Amino acid sequence: MKTGENLVQEFEKVMSGQPWYGDPIYNILDRITFDSAYEKPSRAAHNVAEILLHMLSWTEEVMDRLNGMTAGVPSSGDWPPTGAPDEKKWSDWIDDLKLANVNLVKIITDFPQEQWDEQIDDKRGNEPVTTYKELVYGFIQHQIYHAGQIALLVKMVNG
């Protein structure tokens, strides 16, 4: 199996398949009500809406890097502000994440096999050297980490 095919398979398993650790991310998000998305339990660093926007912004940053742009902080910010609670925005953000993931899968699928082990363009100087393949694997781990946070926050909010 080619690198891109393997990465897509792993990514799709985490998002909507049957990952070994438990529920896929879309199933976790489906259980979140609008009200609970904005609640922040005592001592929690972020609420679910903030984490979702963070996941979306990093999806966009990974797409930019795979498209040859220099590595940096996502254009929408590392932790974009959610603004006031808004049910329409919450629904749109979930749709935006799903659409971004469809676009990411297309980019990964079309990425040239011979470039997966090349280093990404990163002039920040304080980051470890990363290949495109390591970037996508790290991104998948990033999304899993935040899915776990979301699942725990939902349990804290909903009891």
Side-chain angles (χ1 to χ4, degrees), residues 37-96:
Y38 286 88
E39 282 193 47
K40 188 182 288 188
S42 174
R43 302 179 65 188
H46 298 284
N47 63 30
V48 172
E50 291 168 331
I51 296 170
L52 178 72
L53 281 182
H54 173 76
M55 292 170 73
L56 176 58
S57 68
W58 280 99
T59 303
E60 293 166 346
E61 174 64 19
V62 168
M63 287 191 296
D64 287 348
R65 292 179 189 189
L66 288 170
N67 282 321
M69 294 179 69
T70 302
V73 175
S75 59
S76 58
D78 188 14
W79 290 95
T82 61
D86 182 314
E87 193 164 1
K88 173 81 169 97
K89 283 194 311 189
W90 170 249
S91 176
D92 288 347
W93 293 335
I94 291 175
D95 291 343
D96 290 348

Side-chain angles (χ1 to χ4, degrees), residues 84-148:
D86 182 314
E87 193 164 1
K88 173 81 169 97
K89 283 194 311 189
W90 170 249
S91 176
D92 288 347
W93 293 335
I94 291 175
D95 291 343
D96 290 348
L97 180 68
K98 290 178 179 180
L99 179 59
N101 288 334
V102 167
N103 292 331
L104 177 60
V105 165
K106 172 89 170 100
I107 292 167
I108 292 170
T109 300
D110 293 344
F111 197 80
Q113 177 64 31
E114 66 276 4
Q115 289 184 306
W116 283 113
D117 290 321
E118 291 180 11
Q119 295 177 0
I120 64 169
D121 184 12
D122 190 345
K123 296 178 177 57
R124 295 174 292 173
N126 59 345
E127 300 294 323
V129 174
T130 303
T131 65
Y132 289 102
K133 181 170 49 178
E134 292 167 335
L135 169 70
V136 176
Y137 276 122
F139 170 73
I140 292 168
Q141 294 166 7
H142 175 265
Q143 301 304 70
I144 292 168
Y145 171 80
H146 288 301

Side-chain angles (χ1 to χ4, degrees), residues 30-45:
D30 285 345
R31 292 193 304 263
I32 299 169
T33 64
F34 159 70
D35 294 329
S36 64
Y38 286 88
E39 282 193 47
K40 188 182 288 188
S42 174
R43 302 179 65 188

